[in-house]
Short mmCIF file of all heavy atoms in Angstrom, two decimals:
data_model
loop_
_atom_site.label_atom_id
_atom_site.label_comp_id
_atom_site.label_asym_id
_atom_site.label_seq_id
_atom_site.Cartn_x
_atom_site.Cartn_y
_atom_site.Cartn_z
N CYS A 13 7.85 13.46 7.59
CA CYS A 13 6.82 13.39 8.64
C CYS A 13 5.44 13.15 8.01
O CYS A 13 5.07 13.82 7.05
CB CYS A 13 6.84 14.70 9.42
SG CYS A 13 5.41 14.94 10.47
N PRO A 14 4.64 12.20 8.56
CA PRO A 14 3.31 11.93 7.99
C PRO A 14 2.33 13.08 8.21
O PRO A 14 1.29 13.15 7.55
CB PRO A 14 2.84 10.68 8.72
CG PRO A 14 3.69 10.56 9.91
CD PRO A 14 4.97 11.30 9.65
N CYS A 15 2.65 13.99 9.11
CA CYS A 15 1.72 15.07 9.44
C CYS A 15 1.97 16.33 8.60
O CYS A 15 1.05 16.86 7.99
CB CYS A 15 1.84 15.39 10.93
SG CYS A 15 0.55 16.45 11.54
N CYS A 16 3.23 16.79 8.55
CA CYS A 16 3.50 18.08 7.89
C CYS A 16 4.31 17.93 6.61
O CYS A 16 4.48 18.90 5.88
CB CYS A 16 4.23 19.01 8.85
SG CYS A 16 5.90 18.47 9.24
N ASP A 17 4.85 16.75 6.32
CA ASP A 17 5.68 16.49 5.13
C ASP A 17 6.98 17.28 5.11
O ASP A 17 7.65 17.36 4.08
CB ASP A 17 4.92 16.80 3.82
CG ASP A 17 3.57 16.11 3.75
OD1 ASP A 17 3.40 15.09 4.43
OD2 ASP A 17 2.70 16.62 3.03
N GLN A 18 7.34 17.92 6.21
CA GLN A 18 8.55 18.75 6.21
C GLN A 18 9.66 18.13 7.05
O GLN A 18 10.79 18.01 6.59
CB GLN A 18 8.23 20.15 6.77
CG GLN A 18 7.18 20.90 5.98
CD GLN A 18 7.68 21.36 4.63
OE1 GLN A 18 8.80 21.87 4.51
NE2 GLN A 18 6.87 21.18 3.62
N GLY A 19 9.33 17.77 8.31
CA GLY A 19 10.34 17.25 9.22
C GLY A 19 10.77 15.85 8.83
O GLY A 19 10.04 15.12 8.18
N CYS A 40 8.33 15.24 15.58
CA CYS A 40 8.73 15.89 14.34
C CYS A 40 9.46 17.19 14.65
O CYS A 40 8.96 18.01 15.43
CB CYS A 40 7.50 16.17 13.50
SG CYS A 40 7.85 17.10 12.00
N PRO A 41 10.66 17.40 14.08
CA PRO A 41 11.39 18.65 14.34
C PRO A 41 10.67 19.88 13.79
O PRO A 41 10.95 21.01 14.21
CB PRO A 41 12.74 18.46 13.62
CG PRO A 41 12.70 17.15 12.96
CD PRO A 41 11.36 16.50 13.18
N ASN A 42 9.74 19.69 12.90
CA ASN A 42 9.03 20.83 12.29
C ASN A 42 7.69 21.12 12.98
O ASN A 42 7.45 22.23 13.44
CB ASN A 42 8.83 20.55 10.80
CG ASN A 42 8.24 21.74 10.06
OD1 ASN A 42 8.75 22.85 10.19
ND2 ASN A 42 7.18 21.52 9.33
N CYS A 43 6.82 20.11 13.09
CA CYS A 43 5.46 20.37 13.61
C CYS A 43 5.23 19.75 14.98
O CYS A 43 4.14 19.85 15.54
CB CYS A 43 4.42 19.84 12.63
SG CYS A 43 4.37 18.04 12.51
N ASN A 44 6.24 19.10 15.55
CA ASN A 44 6.17 18.48 16.88
C ASN A 44 5.18 17.32 16.96
O ASN A 44 4.74 16.94 18.03
CB ASN A 44 5.86 19.55 17.94
CG ASN A 44 6.43 19.15 19.29
OD1 ASN A 44 7.46 18.48 19.36
ND2 ASN A 44 5.75 19.52 20.36
N TYR A 45 4.81 16.73 15.83
CA TYR A 45 3.93 15.55 15.82
C TYR A 45 4.67 14.39 16.47
O TYR A 45 5.82 14.10 16.15
CB TYR A 45 3.56 15.22 14.38
CG TYR A 45 2.80 13.93 14.19
CD1 TYR A 45 1.48 13.82 14.60
CD2 TYR A 45 3.41 12.83 13.59
CE1 TYR A 45 0.78 12.64 14.43
CE2 TYR A 45 2.72 11.64 13.40
CZ TYR A 45 1.40 11.55 13.82
OH TYR A 45 0.71 10.39 13.66
N PHE A 47 5.67 10.76 16.86
CA PHE A 47 5.67 9.64 15.92
C PHE A 47 5.12 8.35 16.55
O PHE A 47 4.38 7.61 15.92
CB PHE A 47 7.08 9.39 15.36
CG PHE A 47 7.57 10.53 14.50
CD1 PHE A 47 8.82 11.08 14.71
CD2 PHE A 47 6.77 11.04 13.49
CE1 PHE A 47 9.27 12.13 13.92
CE2 PHE A 47 7.21 12.09 12.69
CZ PHE A 47 8.46 12.63 12.91
ZN1 ZN B 1 5.87 17.19 11.03
#
Side-chain angles (χ1 to χ4, degrees):
C13 166
C15 192
C16 67
D17 308 336
Q18 300 289 316
C40 175
N42 186 50
C43 69
N44 208 31
Y45 173 71
F47 294 131

